[in-house]
RNA sequence: CGGGACGUAGCGCAGCCUGGUAGCGCGCCUCGUUCGGGACGAGGAGGUCGGAGGUUCAAAUCCUCUCGUCCCGACCA
């Protein structure tokens, strides 16, 4: 390897620096002038578009429709739900001047849209016949963050927020869990990230929610990432915003609401879960380019190789694979190999004079590095099959990693040692009190990531009191 | 928001201590030779030294403030 390749620090040596370098070298994002603002560059945005499309299809399939709500939220709206303001107050950015006039009431740039959406919903909902309301919004939000990193924590970020309204508590709860499942499927099937799902502890709940459910992924450095959340809001917001409807019995009652969100943070998760020392690795389902053809030519046969590469490109593209052909004449094949590996392209197709002679091409998998010679006629079919295989293998690799890094702690000593030494997920009983949760956090910096749905009883490692199993980790 | 480090060409850095005409590597542009794991030669372009104020005949260099970045902690998708 040459020194240029070694410019990317090893993931295992300095994960933090590796991440920042990779984001810039792979042209995913670039820093903005204001703290926490970033430009998502075309390659990064294409990944987001793929994820977005996958999720959006799933939302539509479960009966949701998209809409758009205002960016600016009057202060008085935010204040209506007490817990909600308190939760977001430290992170708000305010608009106080419009044109040249000082505003009578300052306007918050949305950190999330519950409050302003509820204000609309109050007017839109009169009767049980208006329910359920199943609306999703794709937008940007702003939270004044102190410590930021591209994708993982940015002041402004892109996301999707679903806001639904239901006649009964039961329906709202079902919706909350349904959307958690939708996220889970997207992570597993599209992003090849094996997330764990479960409920949050009360202290980690969304401000204003009755219950928060989460998808938690385990990153390559053993830290957990909250990747998407789904909230059962109960009647909290309906009461605060005075949303009511007449039910079948002619009684005026408050409806039940949910909200759920998934953000560009997941791109950070994708990088951390799948990336390696050579750079990014993208699952085929969301890779903007699924296979790249690198022609290898010599002076005398350049024209021929070039023509063959172009023909192969057209042929494979027509068979439905997202192809790219790298006809750049300034760089050597070796340079291109490294470049496309850095970008995480799932398969490289090498085509040189020897291959043309033999009527074949060389396929190299990004996930395993395996090299294979394939006859020209079988190429399209082979590639198509490879996409599925790579997708599956990447999920399997991530799953294996997660399993190897999920440990049961039998004593508090052991718990502390695991967090200090290996990190990863630690499974241990919790007595349900905030005191023990807080103590563990102070001692180890690990927090409860989730309470699994499968209830398991046990004795709390700190207090000795009876409790249920929780999953702990140090989080991003 | 605390503790530490750092802002000099697109990227990585030297110069600062001891003030005196801004440098190196990579990248970029042109031409030629190359091309199966980051090719080579020759020419060339590019910086109000993060910003503001101060000290000085003179500031990248000294002082003050400010903005930003990174690492380690407290809060969050």
């Amino acid at each position: 390897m040459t020194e240029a390749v070694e410019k990317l620090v090893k993931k295992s040596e300095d994960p933090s620096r590796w991440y920042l370098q990779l984001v810039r070298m792979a042209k995913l994002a670039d820093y903005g002038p204001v703290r926490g603002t970033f430009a998502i560059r075309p390659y990064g945005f294409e990944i987001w578009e793929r994820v977005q499309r996958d999720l959006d299809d799933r939302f539509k399939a479960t009966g949701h429709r998209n809409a758009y709500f205002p960016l600016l939220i009057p202060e008085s709206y935010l204040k209506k739900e007490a817990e909600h303001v308190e939760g977001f107050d430290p992170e708000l950015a305010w608009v106080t001047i419009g044109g040249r006039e000082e505003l009578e009431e300052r306007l918050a740039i949305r950190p999330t849209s519950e409050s302003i959406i509820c204000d609309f919903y109050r007017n839109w909902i009169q009767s049980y016949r208006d329910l359920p309301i199943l609306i999703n919004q794709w937008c940007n939000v702003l939270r004044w963050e102190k410590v930021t990193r591209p994708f993982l924590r940015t002041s402004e970020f892109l996301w999707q927020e679903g806001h639904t309204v239901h006649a009964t508590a039961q329906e709202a709860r079902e919706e909350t869990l349904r959307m958690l499942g939708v996220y889970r499927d997207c992570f597993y099937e599209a992003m090849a990230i094996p997330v764990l799902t479960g409920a949050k502890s009360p202290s980690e709940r969304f401000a204003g929610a009755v219950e928060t459910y989460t998808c938690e992924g385990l990153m390559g450095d053993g830290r957990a990432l909250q990747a998407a959340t789904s909230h059962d809001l109960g009647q909290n917001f309906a009461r605060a915003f005075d949303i009511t409807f007449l039910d079948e019995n002619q009684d005026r009652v408050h409806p039940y609401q949910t909200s759920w969100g998934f953000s560009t943070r997941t791109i950070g998760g994708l990088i951390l879960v799948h990336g390696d020392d050579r750079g990014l690795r993208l699952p085929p389902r969301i890779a903007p380019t699924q296979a790249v053809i690198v022609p290898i030519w010599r002076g005398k046969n350049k024209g021929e190789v070039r023509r063959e590469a172009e023909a192969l490109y057209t042929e494979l593209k027509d068979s439905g694979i997202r192809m790219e052909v790298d006809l750049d004449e300034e760089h050597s094949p070796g340079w291109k190999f490294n470049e496309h590996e850095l970008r995480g392209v799932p398969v490289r197709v090498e085509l040189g004079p020897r291959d043309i002679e033999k009527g074949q091409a060389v396929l190299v998998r990004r996930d395993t590095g395996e090299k294979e010679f394939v006859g020209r006629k079988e190429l399209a079919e082979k590639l198509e099959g490879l996409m599925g295989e790579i997708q599956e293998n990447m999920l399997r690799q991530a799953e294996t990693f997660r399993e190897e890094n999920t440990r049961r702690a039998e004593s508090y000593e052991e718990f502390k040692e695991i967090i200090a030494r290996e990190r990863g997920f630690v499974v241990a009983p919790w007595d349900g009190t905030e005191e023990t949760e807080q103590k563990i956090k102070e001692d180890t910096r690990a927090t409860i990531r989730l309470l699994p749905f499968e209830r398991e009883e046990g004795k709390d490692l700190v207090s000795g009191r009876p409790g249920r199993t929780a999953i702990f980790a140090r989080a991003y």
Side-chain angles (χ1 to χ4, degrees):
Chain A
M1 237 189 270
T2 70
E3 39 185 312
V5 182
E6 287 164 347
K7 270 202 297 197
L8 180 63
V9 72
K10 284 213 166 80
K11 190 184 188 186
S12 50
E13 270 168 24
D14 191 344
S16 183
R17 218 152 69 86
W18 169 87
Y19 178 84
L20 292 167
Q21 284 182 354
L22 182 50
V23 163
R24 306 195 74 191
M25 286 170 70
K27 297 191 168 79
L28 296 172
D30 204 1
Y31 292 83
V34 177
R35 188 196 333 121
T37 64
F38 297 83
I40 301 175
R41 303 182 66 173
Y43 193 55
F45 202 77
E46 277 158 15
I47 296 170
W48 176 238
E49 283 176 315
R50 297 248 150 231
V51 175
Q52 196 177 19
R53 166 83 66 91
D54 180 275
L55 260 188
D56 201 63
D57 288 346
R58 294 176 196 270
F59 295 159
K60 302 275 166 63
T62 43
H64 303 82
R65 299 166 79 196
N66 287 328
Y68 186 79
F69 295 91
L71 168 77
L72 297 174
I73 303 178
E75 182 169 22
S76 54
Y77 283 37
L78 275 172
K79 280 190 167 158
K80 285 183 185 175
E81 217 290 332
E83 258 184 54
H84 189 60
V85 226
E86 207 186 312
F88 281 103
D89 185 64
E91 303 188 278
L92 295 174
W94 296 98
V95 175
T96 59
I97 294 172
R100 290 185 176 154
E101 317 271 304
E102 187 90 18
L103 301 174
E104 269 176 45
E105 179 180 11
R106 54 182 188 159
L107 308 170
I109 297 174
R110 62 181 165 220
T112 179
S113 303
E114 275 77 8
S115 60
I116 194 154
I117 290 180
C118 282
D119 187 65
F120 285 101
Y121 283 1
R122 181 178 58 241
N123 296 318
W124 295 354
I125 297 166
Q126 321 259 349
S127 138
Y128 69 93
R129 293 186 225 275
D130 296 324
L131 299 178
I133 286 191
L134 304 172
I135 289 180
N136 174 63
Q137 146 164 276
W138 289 98
C139 67
N140 58 344
V141 289
L142 188 74
R143 300 179 187 179
W144 214 250
E145 294 289 348
K146 288 153 188 167
V147 181
T148 63
R149 314 175 77 188
F151 297 115
L152 293 171
R153 170 157 297 109
T154 53
S155 295
E156 183 187 2
F157 57 90
L158 302 182
W159 77 343
Q160 137 300 298
E161 46 179 329
H163 295 273
T164 69
V165 190
H166 308 266
T168 67
Q170 171 72 12
E171 272 182 55
R173 191 186 153 70
E174 280 169 12
E175 168 78 0
T176 309
L177 292 171
R178 179 180 308 119
M179 300 323 285
L180 183 73
V182 161
Y183 289 147
R184 185 179 190 280
D185 291 347
C186 174
F187 283 117
Y188 270 85
E189 293 166 14
M191 304 181 80
I193 298 177
V195 291
L196 293 180
T197 54
K200 282 289 185 187
S201 69
S203 70
E204 298 263 334
R205 240 176 234 155
F206 177 72
V210 174
E211 191 75 84
T212 288
Y213 298 98
T214 182
C215 293
E216 299 278 328
L218 187 62
M219 304 298 106
D221 61 354
R223 291 167 71 181
L225 183 76
Q226 177 173 311
T229 47
S230 184
H231 316 291
D232 184 345
L233 302 177
Q235 293 175 304
N236 289 348
F237 283 85
R239 279 195 214 99
F241 287 85
D242 196 28
I243 306 174
T244 61
F245 70 100
L246 276 185
D247 68 11
E248 291 95 322
N249 308 315
Q250 310 245 19
D251 290 326
R252 183 158 292 279
V253 293
H254 291 299
Y256 296 79
Q257 292 175 267
T258 81
S259 69
W260 24 276
F262 178 112
S263 74
T264 38
R265 162 182 272 192
T266 53
I267 296 176
L270 198 66
I271 299 168
L272 287 169
V273 168
H274 297 305
D276 64 15
D277 287 349
R278 293 174 163 271
L280 211 55
R281 294 194 315 159
L282 293 176
R285 284 278 296 273
I286 55 163
T289 297
Q290 294 178 308
V292 59
I293 299 172
V294 178
I296 292 141
W297 48 49
R298 295 183 177 277
K300 41 184 181 280
N301 54 28
K302 183 185 264 184
E304 188 200 352
V305 175
R306 192 191 176 93
R307 272 192 305 281
E308 290 287 334
E310 282 174 322
L312 185 60
Y313 164 74
T314 308
E315 185 184 319
L316 294 175
K317 189 181 61 157
D318 288 348
S319 76
I321 295 157
R322 291 193 291 278
M323 296 296 303
E324 192 177 308
V325 55
D326 191 345
L327 297 173
D328 189 322
E329 298 193 7
E330 303 307 316
H331 295 294
S332 67
W335 190 94
K336 293 175 183 179
F337 296 169
N338 287 293
E339 182 66 13
H340 297 301
E341 278 165 7
L342 179 78
R343 298 199 309 146
V345 179
V347 177
R348 175 174 73 241
V349 182
E350 298 174 20
L351 187 70
R354 295 208 292 271
D355 302 311
I356 293 171
E357 215 171 287
K358 294 183 194 162
Q360 63 174 30
V362 185
L363 298 189
V364 185
R365 290 172 63 152
R366 177 64 179 89
D367 62 331
T368 60
E370 281 164 10
K371 206 174 222 190
E372 199 180 349
F373 298 87
V374 179
R376 186 72 181 263
K377 283 178 216 108
E378 296 93 63
L379 256 184
E381 199 179 332
K382 180 73 198 174
L383 265 180
E384 208 167 314
L386 257 188
M387 292 306 149
E389 262 177 64
I390 293 171
Q391 182 82 29
E392 250 176 72
N393 182 51
M394 287 182 72
L395 176 63
R396 213 163 33 233
Q397 287 179 334
E399 251 168 343
T400 302
F401 178 83
R402 188 195 66 193
E403 273 155 30
E404 284 169 354
N405 287 280
T406 301
R407 300 176 179 83
R408 269 169 198 281
E410 304 297 341
S411 69
Y412 194 40
E413 276 315 303
E414 197 186 337
F415 184 108
K416 285 193 274 199
E417 248 189 63
I418 296 170
I419 292 293
R421 215 171 271 166
E422 289 107 346
R423 295 196 181 171
F425 284 132
V426 183
V427 184
W430 173 55
D431 65 9
T433 67
E434 205 174 325
E435 295 94 273
T436 57
E437 186 182 11
Q438 193 57 37
K439 173 162 173 51
I440 289 172
K441 187 171 178 180
E442 274 163 24
D443 290 351
T444 67
R445 282 154 60 197
T447 50
I448 296 177
R449 299 323 300 161
L450 58 93
L451 307 166
F453 291 112
E454 308 75 37
R455 223 187 146 85
E456 254 186 86
E457 312 294 326
K459 273 206 166 98
D460 188 295
L461 300 182
V462 176
S463 70
R465 288 190 289 254
R468 59 166 297 181
T469 292
I471 293 181
F472 295 81
R474 284 183 58 177
Y476 266 94

